[in-house]
Amino acid sequence: MLNHILDELMAHRAHIYNTFDFYAVMGSGSDITQIQLNQFTDLLDDCGIPDKNSVTCNRAALDRVFIATNREDDQDDATAEANDDSSLMRFEFIEIFIRISIAKYIESGEMTDVIVAVRKLMAEHFAPNKGEGELNKICKIRYLLNSCTVFVE
């Protein structure tokens, strides 16, 4: 079963990696290898994942998913030292898609198969998000403004 879930995620591998990098650099922290909660919330909004009418997938429930994914209780190595308590590392970012799929589709009773739930989340919410959310628009504007400043100087 885990291999099938991994296959569903690996079909979106490049997009997952690029999305992680994009939202990680948008954070206000000093570590661009992690995504903070605010940037994760922006990603959720850009992908249209939160459902205010859902008990299992509203904003508060998704914040709890973020917190649960970020737990470090069993990490005794250097990973625990590098892993900020309020940010997701890349391996946690991949894990959180599985947890969101379970919250959105399994816990809500919409479906019973985790593999199908991951497939649906990735196809209907994640894949269509090509970085056209508000953060990307802001980045484009900043880039254009910086480019114009360079040309003027």
Side-chain angles (χ1 to χ4, degrees):
M1 179 172 167
L2 290 176
N3 286 334
H4 293 294
I5 293 171
L6 183 60
D7 290 343
E8 294 299 328
L9 293 170
M10 294 313 288
H12 301 275
R13 177 179 56 235
H15 190 46
I16 291 171
Y17 291 161
N18 291 335
T19 300
F20 180 89
D21 291 342
F22 175 78
Y23 287 94
V25 299
M26 297 307 295
S28 59
S30 61
D31 189 350
I32 61 169
T33 64
Q34 300 185 36
I35 293 180
Q36 298 171 328
L37 178 60
N38 289 342
Q39 285 63 49
F40 178 70
T41 300
D42 290 336
L43 169 66
L44 294 175
D45 290 340
D46 290 345
C47 292
I49 293 173
D51 180 355
K52 64 181 177 182
N53 298 320
S54 169
V55 174
T56 61
C57 201
N58 60 29
R59 174 110 27 240
L62 292 169
D63 285 351
R64 288 189 296 274
V65 169
F66 180 93
I67 292 165
T69 304
N70 193 41
R71 287 188 62 99
E72 309 166 10
D73 292 345
D74 58 346
Q75 294 176 354
D76 293 329
D77 57 5
T79 305
E81 185 69 30
N83 191 351
D84 184 1
D85 291 339
S86 60
S87 301
L88 295 177
M89 296 183 78
R90 192 177 302 268
F91 71 91
E92 294 168 325
F93 187 64
I94 293 169
E95 174 187 340
I96 207 161
F97 287 112
I98 300 167
R99 289 179 180 260
I100 292 170
S101 300
I102 292 168
K104 188 163 187 73
Y105 301 114
I106 305 297
E107 290 177 359
S108 70
E110 185 175 327
M111 52 182 64
T112 59
D113 189 330
V114 176
I115 298 165
V116 176
V118 170
R119 182 181 305 136
K120 182 173 178 142
L121 180 80
M122 299 310 284
E124 293 181 8
H125 292 279
F126 183 72
N129 176 30
K130 297 297 183 188
E132 293 303 320
E134 290 304 312
L135 284 175
N136 199 28
K137 291 175 189 171
I138 291 167
C139 285
K140 287 178 182 177
I141 291 168
R142 285 183 185 158
Y143 175 77
L144 291 172
L145 289 173
N146 288 338
S147 297
C148 291
T149 302
V150 170
F151 285 124
V152 170
E153 291 176 357

